[in-house]
Amino acid sequence: MHFWPMAPVLQSPSLVALGALVTGVAVAAVLVSRTTAVATSAITGAGAGLALLGFASWAAVSAIA
């Protein structure tokens, strides 16, 4: 959630979307872990990691182009 207040400071509105995505991953992890044997932290870690990696890749390509 710290991405939302940082968006105007860093002048990057895409951080709002990233914050929403990471929050959605955390909520989904709780729901999925109730129906599977997978730990909530494993789902959250993998999902948030992929979201952050994707955002970092997109930001790097945008900065270069």
Side-chain angles (χ1 to χ4, degrees):
M1 291 182 56
H2 66 276
F3 293 112
W4 293 329
M6 289 302 296
V9 173
L10 298 175
Q11 298 176 354
S12 179
S14 59
L15 288 176
V16 174
L18 178 60
L21 181 62
V22 171
T23 301
V25 165
V27 171
V30 171
L31 299 174
V32 171
S33 69
R34 289 183 179 175
T35 60
T36 64
V38 181
T40 305
S41 60
I43 299 167
T44 303
L50 286 172
L52 292 168
L53 179 63
F55 179 81
S57 300
W58 172 79
V61 169
S62 297
I64 293 171

